[in-house]
Amino acid sequence: MMILQTLRQGPRHGYALAQDIKRTSHDLLQIEEGSLYPALQRMLKAAWVDAEWGVSARNRKVRVYRITPAGRQQLEREVSSFERMLAGIARVMRTAES
């Protein structure tokens, strides 16, 4: 969900994705390469993202990912599901305080 949300803001290569998520979360969330790249491969197979080769700011060959229309739909489903889960947790916590 966080990867797709970040890509909604514009195309990114893997390292930039991880750094943007870390920065946006004020260093609370960190995505390790061992999780990021397999997730991106699954998203490529699902056609939620596509990729092309580009060059980084440091003049290195990188794979640049962008969200697809199918990825935007998936993001909407994931956000909706996440919001329902948070609402359920909030209800349980309120009940536990009573």
Side-chain angles (χ1 to χ4, degrees):
M1 182 172 56
M2 292 182 296
I3 292 169
L4 292 173
Q5 178 65 24
T6 303
L7 288 174
R8 219 176 71 159
Q9 300 165 11
R12 306 269 195 293
H13 57 81
Y15 181 76
L17 268 168
Q19 291 303 304
D20 284 351
I21 290 169
K22 182 179 178 182
R23 180 182 39 78
T24 302
S25 72
H26 300 283
D27 296 332
L28 290 173
L29 303 172
Q30 186 168 342
I31 299 180
E32 301 294 333
E33 287 183 25
S35 300
L36 176 63
Y37 292 104
L40 286 167
Q41 288 302 311
R42 287 190 301 274
M43 290 180 199
L44 280 166
K45 286 182 183 177
W48 298 342
V49 301
D50 59 19
E52 60 186 26
W53 289 103
V55 178
S56 73
R58 295 183 181 198
N59 206 28
R60 293 185 182 173
K61 189 174 177 182
V62 293
R63 201 160 187 197
V64 178
Y65 300 89
R66 76 179 68 248
I67 192 169
T68 64
R72 289 180 188 279
Q73 290 176 344
Q74 179 63 23
L75 177 60
E76 287 177 26
R77 285 189 294 270
E78 288 183 22
V79 168
S80 176
S81 176
F82 183 72
E83 288 172 344
R84 285 192 310 275
M85 181 187 66
L86 282 178
I89 291 170
R91 284 191 298 274
V92 168
M93 295 307 292
R94 281 191 303 269
T95 303
E97 292 175 353
S98 301

